[in-house]
Amino acid sequence: MYINMKNEFLGDIESTADILIPKDPLERVIGHDDILRFVRIAAKQRRNLLLVGPPGIGKSLIAKAISVHLTEVQEEITVVHNPERPERPFVEVKTRKEIEGELKELQRAEGDLVTPQEVPELVAERLGFRCPNCESYTNAYQSICPNCGADKYSHLNARRKHLGDLLGMFEMNSGPVNIPQDRVTTTRMNHGREEVVIYERADGDKIKILDQHALEKRREMVEEKPKNIIVPIKRKSFIQATGASETELLGDVRHDPYGGHPDLGTQPYERVVPGAVHEAHEGVLFIDEIVHIAPLQRYILSAMQDKVFPIVGRNPQSAGSSVKVEDVPCDFIFIGACNIRDLQYILPPLRSRIQGEGYEMLMRTFMSDTEENQAKLAQFVAQEIEMDGKIPHATRSAVEIIVEEARKRARIIDDQKDALTLRLRDLGGLVRMAGDLAVMESSELIEDRHINFAVKNAISIEDQILERYQSFEQAMEKDMSSSQKMHSSRKGTPNDHVDRSYL
């Protein structure tokens, strides 16, 4: 029986295996209830967001959770060949309803599968399913009827010999027929009109019927304009473009060493590659540490404003540099994230666009130390264990040590009493180290000793340096290799007398 930690307390569980993990990703976010209210609005109303706060407090988790609450995507984007100007391919946007209609038409073009009993008797005989002697239906590849012992193909051989006698001047294959026909072409009346219909043997014991409509649809498919689906209808609604390059973010046209020659090369429409702004169409475009792509912020702003963005060849030395696809849709929800100190580096018009069409949210770094929030931390531990998938669950007493560590970090890092830290990524590392130790000891659960070991050893490299060397200066001095000390320009350093004239 799983326990919902929204309604229960830490003392109600024996281990994290008892905790119910919420199906809604937003309910897995710990300690940001006030922000989640606006996040739900952003998902429903398609508003942009800027999440500000230190690393490891849930910005990425919130961005991913928003995409789950969006409505199903409705459009597919295709680049279509332009025969008059191949370097200017067309953009074609199809709705889900249109695509579903085309799939039904395609199924009709593929024909209807029926049993041999559902087609005219003569057709069933010529395809080898029906015995003309006893009128029973058997396997098409059995030349001798298992019911009456007659030759199922005797009438075909007789008809073939009769035609050979009539057309004696033409050479006919004199050998007997021992394999049935693959298809039979005939006609039938449909609403007072005669139409061609083809019967094909398919799937061993089935017959495929291709009527006039199916044959015409097949011909249309052969004559259809060449196209390249760049944003399919079945796609992810969450696109992360953190640290993306210009081509990854905005798209590109691949190089062709033959310059798109119609006979040797690849046509321009086939070489068009979408960017993250296009792949996020109708979904979420998330960029963490947005200042790292500062030169590209103006392009993001343009895409947000126009909701379309062209795809062009971005390498001037490429054969794709002359290719341009205009007005490619990119209607996305933009979610950016950064630290407080990086706010000044975000393009002011971009922030204005977010403020005008969304919300700016300052993330919390701690929450009150209450029984309800302690239960939420227990849920967080259970979520981390489930997400990792390689470590066992933790006992209640082990979770209580983690709660105490969260209390300690809130006091030391944020100078907050009666609080629990929300810098949960660091706590997640602690859980994993403890879990790994439990695995190595073949322990069924993460116990107190595993957590205590992790608390002592899962510390940052900076803290390890201070613990070992007392200061960064001493660490740097003692960490220098002999060759580095030889090259030091400081007087009085070791090997100061060494002749370096050869350098």
Side-chain angles (χ1 to χ4, degrees):
M1 180 177 178
Y2 292 111
I3 296 175
N4 188 337
M5 299 307 287
K6 278 189 172 183
N7 306 321
E8 305 295 337
F9 299 116
L10 183 55
D12 297 322
I13 67 168
E14 294 297 326
S15 74
T16 54
D18 299 332
I19 297 175
L20 175 68
I21 306 298
K23 293 183 179 180
D24 184 350
L26 282 180
E27 294 183 6
R28 300 182 187 181
V29 178
I30 306 299
H32 299 291
D33 295 343
D34 54 340
I35 291 177
L36 292 183
R37 177 186 176 189
F38 291 95
V39 168
R40 294 182 187 278
I41 295 173
K44 183 174 181 60
Q45 299 295 101
R46 298 190 61 82
R47 303 301 187 192
N48 303 311
L49 280 178
L50 177 63
L51 303 175
V52 181
I57 58 174
K59 299 190 293 291
S60 299
L61 183 60
I62 288 176
K64 290 180 181 178
I66 286 180
S67 65
V68 177
H69 285 260
L70 298 180
T71 57
E72 189 178 38
V73 297
Q74 296 297 318
E75 294 182 344
E76 181 176 86
I77 304 173
T78 304
V79 177
V80 182
H81 175 56
N82 182 354
E84 297 182 359
R85 295 188 65 192
E87 292 79 16
R88 294 293 182 270
F90 301 121
V91 170
E92 184 180 84
V93 180
K94 290 183 179 179
T95 65
R96 180 177 294 274
K97 186 175 181 180
E98 291 173 334
I99 294 171
E100 290 173 353
E102 287 186 354
L103 287 175
K104 291 180 180 178
E105 292 293 320
L106 180 60
Q107 291 173 353
R108 289 193 63 184
E110 293 175 349
D112 298 323
L113 282 178
V114 298
T115 62
Q117 290 85 348
E118 296 178 82
V119 301
E121 294 177 352
L122 181 60
V123 172
E125 289 176 7
R126 294 177 63 181
L127 291 176
F129 289 103
R130 185 176 186 272
C131 175
N133 185 52
C134 67
E135 301 181 352
S136 63
Y137 290 85
T138 56
N139 188 288
Y141 295 98
Q142 292 178 311
S143 59
I144 303 300
C145 177
N147 295 322
C148 67
D151 182 1
K152 290 166 58 178
Y153 307 143
S154 59
H155 65 296
L156 299 180
N157 288 319
R159 182 171 179 270
R160 186 180 180 86
K161 184 177 183 303
H162 179 64
L163 288 175
D165 293 340
L166 293 176
L167 306 174
M169 66 189 73
F170 299 104
E171 183 178 354
M172 298 286 290
N173 185 356
S174 59
V177 175
N178 53 21
I179 297 177
Q181 294 177 240
D182 290 327
R183 62 165 55 190
V184 173
T185 303
T186 182
T187 61
R188 70 179 181 186
M189 299 302 294
N190 184 18
H191 300 296
R193 293 179 55 192
E194 187 178 44
E195 66 173 14
V196 175
V197 60
I198 296 176
Y199 298 90
E200 293 181 347
R201 194 170 58 251
D203 294 342
D205 59 347
K206 297 287 185 180
I207 297 175
K208 181 182 291 185
I209 303 176
L210 298 171
D211 58 14
Q212 194 76 31
H213 180 274
L215 295 173
E216 290 175 359
K217 188 61 182 178
R218 278 192 174 185
R219 184 169 60 252
E220 289 176 8
M221 291 168 58
V222 172
E223 298 173 354
E224 189 177 11
K225 287 183 179 179
K227 61 184 180 181
N228 171 22
I229 300 175
I230 60 172
V231 182
I233 195 71
K234 293 183 179 179
R235 62 181 185 269
K236 296 186 297 182
S237 57
F238 176 79
I239 301 296
Q240 182 163 350
T242 302
S245 66
E246 183 175 352
T247 56
E248 290 172 329
L249 183 66
L250 308 175
D252 197 5
V253 181
R254 291 193 299 267
H255 175 67
D256 181 4
Y258 298 103
H261 189 281
D263 296 325
L264 300 177
T266 305
Q267 288 291 335
Y269 79 93
E270 296 180 277
R271 293 184 274 123
V272 175
V273 180
V277 295
H278 308 105
E279 293 174 323
H281 179 57
E282 299 185 288
V284 170
L285 176 66
F286 174 60
I287 301 180
D288 199 1
E289 305 297 343
I290 188 174
V291 294
H292 291 171
I293 57 170
L296 303 178
Q297 291 183 32
R298 59 190 179 93
Y299 296 115
I300 297 173
L301 174 62
S302 177
M304 291 169 63
Q305 289 175 330
D306 301 335
K307 302 192 184 305
V308 293
F309 197 86
I311 299 178
V312 299
R314 299 190 174 277
N315 182 356
Q317 306 301 321
S318 169
S321 60
S322 62
V323 179
K324 184 174 184 179
V325 187
E326 295 278 10
D327 298 333
V328 183
C330 58
D331 184 5
F332 53 80
I333 295 175
F334 176 72
I335 302 180
C338 70
N339 302 324
I340 294 176
R341 66 176 179 272
D342 292 332
L343 271 173
Q344 57 185 317
Y345 303 114
I346 299 179
L347 196 67
L350 179 58
R351 284 198 61 189
S352 177
R353 174 63 59 175
I354 295 173
Q355 291 171 341
E357 298 180 359
Y359 311 101
E360 292 187 339
M361 310 301 301
L362 180 61
M363 305 285 288
R364 295 182 179 275
T365 58
F366 61 90
M367 59 183 176
S368 301
D369 186 3
T370 64
E371 288 188 335
E372 291 81 0
N373 287 339
Q374 291 174 17
K376 290 180 181 179
L377 267 184
Q379 177 186 311
F380 163 76
V381 174
Q383 291 171 181
E384 290 295 293
I385 292 172
E386 182 186 74
M387 188 185 309
D388 186 85
K390 296 179 290 186
I391 58 178
H393 279 283
T395 64
R396 180 179 64 200
S397 57
V399 174
E400 288 172 348
I401 298 175
I402 294 174
V403 171
E404 178 58 35
E405 182 66 16
R407 191 178 292 125
K408 173 183 172 184
R409 295 188 182 198
R411 185 173 62 253
I412 294 174
I413 300 174
D414 293 305
D415 194 24
Q416 294 292 323
K417 296 180 180 179
D418 300 323
L420 302 171
T421 186
L422 285 176
R423 301 173 192 267
L424 299 179
R425 185 178 298 160
D426 295 340
L427 285 183
L430 187 151
V431 172
R432 285 174 175 80
M433 178 179 283
D436 291 342
L437 181 61
V439 170
M440 297 303 293
E441 294 183 356
S442 300
S443 176
E444 293 184 0
L445 294 171
I446 298 174
E447 299 179 358
D448 296 16
R449 66 180 186 277
H450 304 132
I451 295 294
N452 287 327
F453 176 87
V455 169
K456 184 178 179 180
N457 293 277
I459 58 177
S460 69
I461 194 66
E462 289 84 0
D463 289 338
Q464 294 179 49
I465 290 172
L466 291 176
E467 181 180 344
R468 184 175 302 178
Y469 297 105
Q470 284 73 53
S471 71
F472 281 93
E473 290 74 14
Q474 291 187 44
M476 293 174 65
E477 178 68 25
K478 294 183 179 181
D479 197 48
M480 290 176 66
S481 66
S482 58
S483 61
Q484 289 173 316
K485 292 177 180 179
M486 287 174 59
H487 289 73
S488 175
S489 59
R490 292 170 54 191
K491 296 295 182 181
T493 56
N495 302 316
D496 187 48
H497 62 283
V498 176
D499 180 12
R500 302 183 179 87
S501 60
Y502 62 90
L503 296 176

